[in-house]
Amino acid sequence: MALSEDIKQILDAFADFTKNEVRQSARDKGITFGGQDSRMLSDKNFVTKYTTTTKSLKLTIEIIPEYARAVDEGRQAGTPPPIEPLKQWIKRKGILKSERPTKGTKQTKKAKPSFEKRLTSMAFAISKNIGKKGTIKRFGYKGSNFWSDVMNSSDMNTEYNKLKTNLLEVLKKEVNIEIIGLTK
């Protein structure tokens, strides 16, 4: 089933509303991704897909980066998270200092592991710990709910009802049903 331009416009408007609400929620809760504020959640950080079958139309909105779900919900113990986002987080937070000597520090003859090795090692250790203990129990982190709160809000319900009404109006215009009587 191909989508008409009118239907695409209605779905795009609903997706834009959703993205703006999520951005505002992230801003209100002080959520950052990549060391930037919620402006980072630009349109390129959302993936919007339309999937149609003969019986349904599905709108999917995803946020990139992939760890957004863990920020929203927290993380249970189980599978360790990937280390690359943790490495970026460690750098952003300045948790691991670079090897550059500063004034007043002595240079020793024993060579230290490279910054990259120490960074990878630290990220691996953090990942292993999160995998083992999760973030929820250990830190009491129940998630920021920046996404969940938007999806469960009354504004979203109102907007969803508008979406259904608008789609129905377009379908009434586009689908021509003619009932022909069998009797004269």
Side-chain angles (χ1 to χ4, degrees), residues 22 32-34 38-49 61-69 146-147:
V22 168
T32 62
F33 292 99
S38 56
R39 287 178 301 206
M40 183 283 214
L41 293 176
S42 65
D43 282 340
K44 69 179 181 162
N45 298 105
F46 287 94
V47 177
T48 305
K49 299 179 206 169
I61 303 170
E62 298 174 13
I63 298 179
I64 302 170
E66 69 277 359
Y67 59 86
R69 171 169 265 142
F146 76 98
W147 178 269

Side-chain angles (χ1 to χ4, degrees), residues 62-84:
E62 298 174 13
I63 298 179
I64 302 170
E66 69 277 359
Y67 59 86
R69 171 169 265 142
V71 172
D72 183 58
E73 299 170 355
R75 189 177 180 101
Q76 296 285 348
T79 307
I83 65 167
E84 285 307 313

Side-chain angles (χ1 to χ4, degrees), residues 10 17 23-24 29 51 60 62 65 95 103 113 117 159 163 172:
I10 292 168
F17 172 83
R23 282 185 194 106
Q24 187 61 48
K29 294 173 187 266
T51 310
T60 307
E62 298 174 13
I95 295 170
K103 280 187 176 180
K117 272 189 171 185
E159 200 64 25
L163 170 70
K172 283 180 183 177

Side-chain angles (χ1 to χ4, degrees), residues 150-161:
V150 168
M151 294 302 117
N152 298 319
S153 72
S154 60
D155 287 347
M156 197 64 177
N157 286 335
T158 302
E159 200 64 25
Y160 182 67
N161 287 332

Side-chain angles (χ1 to χ4, degrees), residues 121-154:
S121 177
M122 181 179 274
F124 180 78
I126 292 170
S127 173
K128 184 178 171 186
N129 238 348
I130 291 172
K132 188 175 179 182
K133 300 177 182 179
T135 59
I136 295 172
K137 281 186 181 176
R138 184 166 183 217
F139 301 110
Y141 181 71
K142 296 185 177 28
S144 65
N145 299 312
F146 76 98
W147 178 269
S148 307
D149 286 351
V150 168
M151 294 302 117
N152 298 319
S153 72
S154 60

Side-chain angles (χ1 to χ4, degrees), residues 7 10 159 161-171:
I7 291 175
I10 292 168
E159 200 64 25
N161 287 332
K162 283 186 205 173
L163 170 70
K164 290 190 296 188
T165 301
N166 292 341
L167 286 173
L168 186 58
E169 290 301 315
V170 168
L171 286 175

